[in-house]
Amino acid sequence: DNISDNEFKWLIVTMASDLFFDTISNIFKRKDGGDWGYVGFEQHNLISENIHMWHNGTGNNSAMFRRYSYPGLLNSCNLLDMNYTSFFADIVKNNRNINSFMESEKILWAKIDGWYAHTDENGNIIFDVAIFKNGSYDKMVDIIKSHVKFETLQEKYSALTKEVMEIIKKYSNPVINDTINYYATMFMYDTRRLIINDEVEAGRLIIPENPEKSNIGMYVTVY
């Protein structure tokens, strides 16, 4: 509702940078349905550029509140915890007005108001983070992938990942050969931040005046 062009560009460029990677699922399948492994990285000074970027979130099957973080470049406001995320999703799903809030909900709203949403003069909720409802997130992913250059870029990423894989294999214990794709892809994730850094340097992405109160990189998916 209240997302600037710059904020939307940050989200779309970051989403796009997250879509180039080869599928690496089912390598470390966990009993609870998770799919993740451990990767250790050695500290070094070989790269002067900050290449860290995080993607985390809170929620459940009905809603997720997610945030991309760009350490050292842009530290946006904090994620909401589970209780606030559930309440936020209820506001979105039911198009609620502030006048419908119960006393207990007003306590939750106090933390949301002015950060992730605000109200107009009639008490209607205006969202300050990107909202994806009813599968619209998947539609946005499809739009990004339909770009004329996407397939070519993904092929280049796949080729580069294979090169990284061979380098890691050459200098690593053979015991990890069966899962080398996972480690190479985890290493390649750092290129997401390189893309962001280049876009900021080129002036296509702009760091806001008050980054500590920024919602850049934040979005909510409601199912």
Side-chain angles (χ1 to χ4, degrees):
D1 287 1
N2 194 43
I3 307 298
S4 69
D5 288 346
N6 182 52
E7 290 170 330
F8 194 64
K9 284 179 183 177
W10 273 87
L11 181 58
I12 295 303
V13 171
T14 308
M15 284 176 61
S17 73
D18 224 4
L19 295 174
F20 293 129
F21 302 96
D22 296 327
T23 300
I24 54 171
S25 59
N26 299 317
I27 293 180
F28 294 108
K29 202 69 176 177
R30 305 296 172 172
K31 291 181 179 180
D32 62 356
D35 194 355
W36 49 270
Y38 291 97
V39 181
F41 293 96
E42 183 179 358
Q43 290 187 342
H44 60 78
N45 297 315
L46 299 176
I47 303 174
S48 59
E49 190 172 357
N50 192 327
I51 58 176
H52 299 297
M53 194 173 85
W54 304 325
H55 187 205
N56 53 2
T58 58
N60 51 35
N61 292 333
S62 64
M64 285 295 299
F65 198 112
R66 296 186 182 275
R67 177 185 66 171
Y68 288 101
S69 299
Y70 318 89
L73 178 65
L74 176 64
N75 296 314
S76 54
C77 50
N78 294 326
L79 278 170
L80 294 173
D81 64 24
M82 189 63 192
N83 291 336
Y84 293 95
T85 297
S86 297
F87 176 53
F88 195 97
D90 183 64
I91 295 173
V92 174
K93 287 182 177 180
N94 297 298
N95 195 27
R96 294 186 62 180
N97 184 288
I98 192 174
N99 297 315
S100 71
F101 293 171
M102 297 182 293
E103 290 301 315
S104 59
E105 292 176 325
K106 291 179 181 178
I107 297 174
L108 297 175
W109 172 251
K111 184 174 180 179
I112 295 172
D113 186 23
W115 291 90
Y116 315 97
H118 63 280
T119 59
D120 64 15
E121 63 275 9
N122 297 315
N124 298 311
I125 310 298
I126 300 172
F127 300 109
D128 297 318
V129 295
I131 307 292
F132 295 99
K133 298 189 294 184
N134 303 320
S136 59
Y137 179 84
D138 292 334
K139 292 179 181 177
M140 180 59 72
V141 169
D142 289 341
I143 290 172
I144 294 173
K145 288 185 174 182
S146 69
H147 192 280
V148 66
K149 296 291 186 180
F150 185 86
E151 186 174 345
T152 300
L153 286 170
Q154 193 166 43
E155 290 174 355
K156 290 180 181 294
Y157 259 83
S158 295
L160 182 57
T161 301
K162 290 177 182 178
E163 290 183 29
V164 171
M165 201 183 308
E166 292 304 315
I167 294 172
I168 295 176
K169 187 183 294 186
K170 181 178 180 180
Y171 296 100
S172 300
N173 192 307
V175 72
I176 70 169
N177 283 356
D178 290 341
T179 53
I180 198 74
N181 190 27
Y182 180 85
Y183 302 112
T185 304
M186 289 299 100
F187 185 85
M188 286 293 293
Y189 269 121
D190 287 338
T191 61
R192 300 178 302 173
R193 176 60 185 272
L194 296 177
I195 293 172
I196 297 299
N197 291 346
D198 287 347
E199 291 299 291
V200 170
E201 185 176 346
R204 288 185 287 267
L205 295 180
I206 301 171
I207 298 175
E209 293 183 4
N210 299 306
E212 70 281 352
K213 199 175 179 179
S214 169
N215 294 322
I216 282 177
M218 287 190 170
Y219 64 96
V220 178
T221 51
V222 179
Y223 308 101

